Amino acid sequence: MKGKPIQSICIALLLVLGVASTQAGAAVFTVGSNGEGNYTSIQEAINNAQNGDTILVSPGVYRENVNVNKELSIISGTDPSGGMINRTYVIGAIPVNDVFTIRSNNVTISGFYIAGGPSGIDMDREVGISLEGVQNCLISNNTLILNDIGIGLNNSHFNLLDNNIIGFGTSGIYLTQSNENELSNNVATINSHGIHIDNSTNNTLMGNTVESNEVGFLLSASRMNTLENNFVLRNDNGVGLDNMAGSNTLTNNSLYMNGIGMYFNGSSGNTIYLNDFFNFFNAEDEGTNTWNSSTAGNMWNDYNGTDADGNGIGDTPYVVNQTTGSIDYMPLVENVSSEETLENMDGNSIGMSM
C-alpha cells in the first residue's frame, strides 16, 4: 500500500519538472544575413523555432517573404542611432506576396524596415505586415514603404500597432472586420488612405499622425471606434466617414491645413467634440451627427461669434449644415495653443524617417 503514494508523488514531481523544463525551454535564435547567426534567413529560423521562442535578426538585407505560424517574438537588432547600414531591411522576394504574413496569435514584430514593392497587378493585394485571423499581436517600431498596404488586419482582434511609420502605398494601415485593436503613435504619410478602418468596431486610434495623404483617416461601415488625440495635417481630406459609419467618437484631434478637415457621407450618429479645426474648408456633414458634448464643442478657425461672458464658449452656434441640423452649439473660442502650433510647424513636415 505504501508503494502507491510514493508512485503518485514521483509522477507529480515528474509533471512539475516537465512543466518547468517546458517554460525554461524558450530559446533565442539569431539570424545574420552574412552567416554570423544560427540561420541566414528569418524563415529558416521560424521553421526551427517553437512557440514562445525569440528570433533576433541582425542588421542587413533579407530578401524573403516570411510566414509566421508560431507564437514568436521576431526582433530586429537595429541600432536606431547607427545610421542606414545598421538597419534590418526585409524586402519581399515575390512582389505580389505579403512580406510578413502572421497566422498565429501572440506574435511580436519589431524594429524592421519593410518594403514589398507594389505589384501593379492587383491594387491592395501586397501587404508589408499582414495579420490574418489572429489576436494579441504586437507590431511596433517598424518602417514600411512601397507596399500596397503597409499593415493590414483581417478578422484580427485585440492587437496593438504602436509607433510604426508607413508611407508611399495605397493604405498605410488597413483594418477590415477587425475589432478591439489599438493603433497608437503611428505615422502614415503619402498614401491614398493613411489609416482605413472598414467594417470594424471598437478600435481605439490614439496619438497617430496622418500627413499628406489623399484621406488621412477613413472609416467605412465601422461603428463605435474612438479617434482621440490624433494629428491630421496637410491631407486632401483629413477625416472621412462614409458608408453608414456610426456611433464613432472623435475627440481632441488636431486638424490643420487639410483641404477638407472632416466630412461625413451617408454616416450619422457620430459624436465630434474638442477637436481643433484649421483647414481650407473645415467640415462637410450630409448626415445627422452631434458636434458637441454636453459641455463643449470644437475650435473653428473661421468662427465669427463672440464670447461675451468669457466662459470659452461662443455665444452663437457654429453651423456645419443647417439643412441636416449639423450644428456645434458650444463652439470653443480663444484657443491660443493652436496658433502657437501652427507657427511652430510653419514650413515643416513630419516626413519619413529613412
Side-chain angles (χ1 to χ4, degrees):
M1 296 295 295
K2 295 182 179 179
K4 289 186 177 180
I6 295 174
Q7 183 180 30
S8 299
I9 293 171
C10 291
I11 292 173
L13 287 173
L14 287 173
L15 289 173
V16 170
L17 290 173
V19 170
S21 64
T22 300
Q23 293 175 341
V28 177
F29 297 100
T30 58
V31 179
S33 59
N34 296 318
E36 66 274 22
N38 301 121
Y39 303 99
T40 57
S41 80
I42 301 170
Q43 189 63 62
E44 187 181 8
I46 292 171
N47 294 343
N48 288 279
Q50 303 295 325
N51 287 338
D53 289 346
T54 297
I55 297 173
L56 298 179
V57 185
S58 299
V61 179
Y62 301 84
R63 297 184 181 274
E64 54 182 307
N65 299 86
V66 181
N67 181 32
V68 186
N69 55 5
K70 301 171 185 176
E71 299 183 4
L72 302 171
S73 294
I74 305 175
I75 312 295
S76 165
T78 296
D79 179 1
S81 63
M84 296 180 66
I85 61 173
N86 287 320
R87 295 174 178 174
T88 307
Y89 297 91
V90 183
I91 302 172
I94 304 174
V96 297
N97 291 351
D98 302 337
V99 183
F100 278 88
T101 301
I102 300 174
R103 299 186 184 277
S104 177
N105 299 332
N106 303 310
V107 169
T108 295
I109 305 290
S110 182
F112 292 92
Y113 290 75
I114 298 168
S119 62
I121 299 172
D122 183 5
M123 291 300 289
D124 289 354
R125 181 175 181 181
E126 177 269 328
V127 184
I129 302 176
S130 175
L131 282 68
E132 294 285 340
V134 299
Q135 299 184 17
N136 301 317
C137 293
L138 170 62
I139 310 299
S140 66
N141 300 306
N142 302 287
T143 297
L144 303 101
I145 63 167
L146 297 174
N147 302 280
D148 291 330
I149 298 173
I151 303 173
L153 277 67
N154 178 35
N155 190 30
S156 295
H157 318 298
F158 303 102
N159 302 287
L160 172 60
L161 280 57
D162 180 67
N163 201 38
N164 301 284
I165 301 175
I166 312 103
F168 301 101
T170 301
S171 293
I173 299 175
Y174 179 53
L175 275 63
T176 181
Q177 297 181 344
S178 297
N179 310 323
E180 304 283 356
N181 299 286
E182 180 177 333
L183 283 61
S184 59
N185 306 310
N186 302 288
V187 175
T189 182
I190 317 178
N191 304 281
S192 297
H193 304 139
I195 298 178
H196 186 179
I197 310 298
D198 179 43
N199 196 22
S200 300
T201 63
N202 287 321
N203 297 287
T204 300
L205 287 67
M206 182 181 299
N208 303 285
T209 298
V210 290
E211 180 190 1
S212 301
N213 306 281
E214 292 181 19
V215 183
F217 290 100
L218 178 61
L219 275 65
S220 302
S222 295
R223 302 179 62 81
M224 295 181 288
N225 299 284
T226 299
L227 275 68
E228 183 176 0
N229 291 318
N230 299 290
F231 195 65
V232 186
L233 171 67
R234 295 192 181 101
N235 304 279
D236 294 343
N237 299 280
V239 179
L241 282 78
D242 66 12
N243 195 19
M244 296 184 292
S247 301
N248 300 287
T249 301
L250 299 89
T251 182
N252 280 299
N253 300 289
S254 299
L255 300 94
Y256 296 140
M257 302 174 68
N258 303 284
I260 299 175
M262 192 178 293
Y263 73 86
F264 295 80
N265 182 17
S267 296
S268 297
N270 302 284
T271 304
I272 308 101
Y273 64 97
L274 291 177
N275 301 286
D276 199 349
F277 289 88
F278 198 109
N279 307 280
F280 294 101
F281 192 85
N282 278 325
E284 292 183 353
D285 187 359
E286 300 301 324
T288 304
N289 296 285
T290 301
W291 288 86
N292 52 264
S293 68
S294 60
T295 57
N298 302 276
M299 167 62 59
W300 307 93
N301 72 299
D302 56 350
Y303 177 66
N304 295 318
T306 59
D307 178 21
D309 58 6
N311 68 349
I313 305 294
D315 299 325
T316 55
Y318 180 91
V319 177
V320 178
N321 188 333
Q322 184 72 55
T323 302
T324 62
S326 299
I327 298 172
D328 183 349
Y329 291 98
M330 308 185 74
L332 303 176
V333 296
E334 297 181 359
N335 188 343
V336 178
S337 62
S338 63
E339 296 178 1
E340 293 176 347
T341 300
L342 286 171
E343 290 177 0
N344 293 334
M345 73 180 188
D346 184 32
N348 296 322
S349 177
I350 301 295
M352 294 288 291
S353 176
M354 289 299 296

